[in-house]
Amino acid sequence: MDRRGYQQYKEQSVNSMTPGELLLLLYDELVKRGTMAAIALEKEDYPTFEAAVERCSDIVDYLSATLDPQYPISRDLSRMYEYFTYQLGRIKIGRNGKLLEELRPMLAELRDAFHNAEKNSSSGRESAV
């Protein structure tokens, strides 16, 4: 398979996404990596566990860094991201499956909230046309 063609396709797909779609992609990856970490921890595959938790932390850091402070919700999201970062650190250091299982539904709920917001926003744009 031509990896260069696949890479170009991937870049084109990302470049053509709306900001809302990109945000959902990040949240999907965050939830996926949280699930991957839980499975790896259960199997005692610590390198995979640590890499998955580290990727979760990277995504949360990126989401936090891209907040626009002019919007009031950014302050609330910032505090939530700080909490996620703190918990992910505790999860990684202690290989704490219980904390991970408490955090994963929160990540999924936030992803679902953004998904609903994107869907409502998209339907609002369509009806305005």
Side-chain angles (χ1 to χ4, degrees), residues 92-110:
K92 183 178 176 187
I93 290 170
R95 295 182 178 160
N96 192 324
K98 183 178 183 240
L99 279 179
L100 181 57
E101 289 310 311
E102 291 174 7
L103 187 64
R104 286 179 53 218
M106 292 181 211
L107 300 174
E109 286 177 26
L110 194 54

Side-chain angles (χ1 to χ4, degrees), residues 66-113:
T66 58
L67 288 174
D68 188 343
Q70 81 179 20
Y71 299 105
I73 194 170
S74 293
R75 185 176 37 248
D76 296 330
L77 286 171
S78 178
R79 285 195 299 259
M80 194 175 308
Y81 294 152
E82 285 177 27
Y83 173 77
F84 291 162
T85 299
Y86 175 73
Q87 291 298 73
L88 288 165
R90 292 179 64 203
I91 289 165
K92 183 178 176 187
I93 290 170
R95 295 182 178 160
N96 192 324
K98 183 178 183 240
L99 279 179
L100 181 57
E101 289 310 311
E102 291 174 7
L103 187 64
R104 286 179 53 218
M106 292 181 211
L107 300 174
E109 286 177 26
L110 194 54
R111 183 223 23 222
D112 294 344

Side-chain angles (χ1 to χ4, degrees), residues 22-34:
L22 287 170
L23 183 65
L24 289 176
L25 187 65
L26 284 169
Y27 274 107
D28 285 341
E29 187 68 16
L30 184 59
V31 170
K32 181 178 98 177
R33 294 296 176 132

Side-chain angles (χ1 to χ4, degrees), residues 22-23 26 55-67 81 85:
L22 287 170
L23 183 65
L26 284 169
R55 187 67 179 133
C56 286
S57 294
D58 291 344
I59 293 169
V60 170
D61 289 345
Y62 177 80
L63 290 168
S64 181
T66 58
L67 288 174
Y81 294 152
T85 299

